[in-house]
Amino acid sequence: MADVREITDFSDPALDVYARLTEAQLMNRFDPSKALFIAESPKVIHRALDGGYKPVSMLMERKDIDGSAAEIIARCPDIPVYTADEELLCNLTGYHLTRGVLCAMKRPSLPAVETVLANARRVVVLDNVQNPTNVGAIFRSAAALGMDAVLLTPGCSDPLYRRAARVSMGTVFQIPWTFFPEGKPWYEVMHAIGFKTAALALKDDTLSIDDPRLRAEEKLALVLGSEGDGLSDEAIAGCDYTVKIPMYHGVDSLNVAAASAVAFWELRAK
């Protein structure tokens, strides 16, 4: 039996997670045991549940209780389901729940880099990719096109941010990932674990993405940089290869998410 709770008081602390806490506050760096994130839309929530993530509560319009959220509620019978009509929820959250359902979930502890890479052959390194839309799109491509894991530097947007998880279509809950720890350069970490690194960068002295030496590598990390500046000279110098995607019609670059899809498909393990 669903624990449906009609919203009558905007100030109810149980609603803070949906209406008043920022993404940074949800992360709760001071007490990670209480850290949360928001999964949005039935498909994303289902994938999070399939991945073992623990739900805390849900927020939805009344019509979704017996509609698009019915299966999710059946999977989570012991958590509160907060509901009201559309206008009230819009006033509470500040936007229309166009995807119908929000679910607050516990944020798990991140695994060590070595754990994520234990059985991996093709992985992604994101270096200061700050746009959550791009992070989500890269995760979706990584999952779809044969990558085994995603590693992120501390300057990247969090894959569990609501927009990133939604754009990924929930693949952030399917493909292994973690952040590099502060301190040691990420390329030194990757080399110590036995990975060769290939920086995707707009440089003259590069290999083409279809160079057979890249596919021949047993363990290869494809490295993507920030949206504006790309990879730093230091990061490129730390990599084993610098790689460029051939372009036509005078186009000199692709969006980082588009470039990632091309690279993942071309260099996937076979």
Side-chain angles (χ1 to χ4, degrees), residues 233-257:
D233 290 339
E234 178 186 356
I236 294 171
C239 289
D240 300 289
Y241 301 104
T242 305
V243 179
K244 184 163 63 175
I245 298 171
M247 308 233 177
Y248 301 88
H249 299 293
V251 177
D252 63 358
S253 66
L254 293 173
N255 167 273
V256 65

Side-chain angles (χ1 to χ4, degrees), residues 57-253:
S57 67
M58 285 186 277
L59 178 71
M60 66 189 68
E61 294 178 36
R62 293 190 193 93
K63 64 182 178 63
D64 293 311
I65 293 173
D66 296 315
S68 63
E71 290 184 14
I72 296 170
I73 293 172
R75 295 183 67 177
C76 311
D78 300 324
I79 67 169
V81 177
Y82 296 100
T83 189
D85 60 33
E86 181 180 4
E87 182 178 359
L88 190 148
L89 289 182
C90 182
N91 290 333
L92 174 68
T93 62
Y95 57 90
H96 289 282
L97 298 183
T98 55
R99 291 166 182 83
V101 185
L102 302 180
C103 183
M105 293 186 151
K106 293 183 179 179
R107 181 181 286 267
S109 299
L110 290 177
V113 172
E114 292 78 5
T115 300
V116 170
L117 298 182
N119 299 306
R121 293 181 57 204
R122 291 291 185 270
V123 302
V124 186
V125 171
L126 301 185
D127 188 3
N128 293 327
V129 178
Q130 299 172 346
N131 186 305
T133 298
N134 283 333
V135 169
I138 291 169
F139 264 83
R140 188 175 182 183
S141 294
L145 301 175
M147 297 295 105
D148 298 316
V150 180
L151 290 304
L152 305 97
T153 64
C156 287
S157 180
D158 189 334
L160 294 185
Y161 280 175
R162 184 185 306 179
R163 183 167 182 79
R166 186 179 72 235
V167 171
S168 83
M169 294 300 290
T171 55
V172 296
F173 308 117
Q174 295 178 307
I175 187 168
W177 63 273
T178 196
F179 280 93
F180 288 101
E182 300 275 4
K184 192 173 183 180
W186 58 261
Y187 43 84
E188 293 184 11
V189 175
M190 297 302 294
H191 290 153
I193 299 174
F195 274 83
K196 291 297 182 67
T197 50
L200 271 72
L202 298 173
K203 298 290 185 181
D204 292 330
D205 184 19
T206 60
L207 298 181
S208 174
I209 193 73
D210 59 355
D211 192 292
R213 285 172 286 182
L214 298 170
R215 189 175 289 282
E217 292 290 356
E218 179 63 23
K219 293 183 176 182
L220 184 66
L222 306 179
V223 186
L224 298 156
S226 67
E227 293 83 357
D229 300 325
L231 291 167
S232 67
D233 290 339
E234 178 186 356
I236 294 171
C239 289
D240 300 289
Y241 301 104
T242 305
V243 179
K244 184 163 63 175
I245 298 171
M247 308 233 177
Y248 301 88
H249 299 293
V251 177
D252 63 358
S253 66

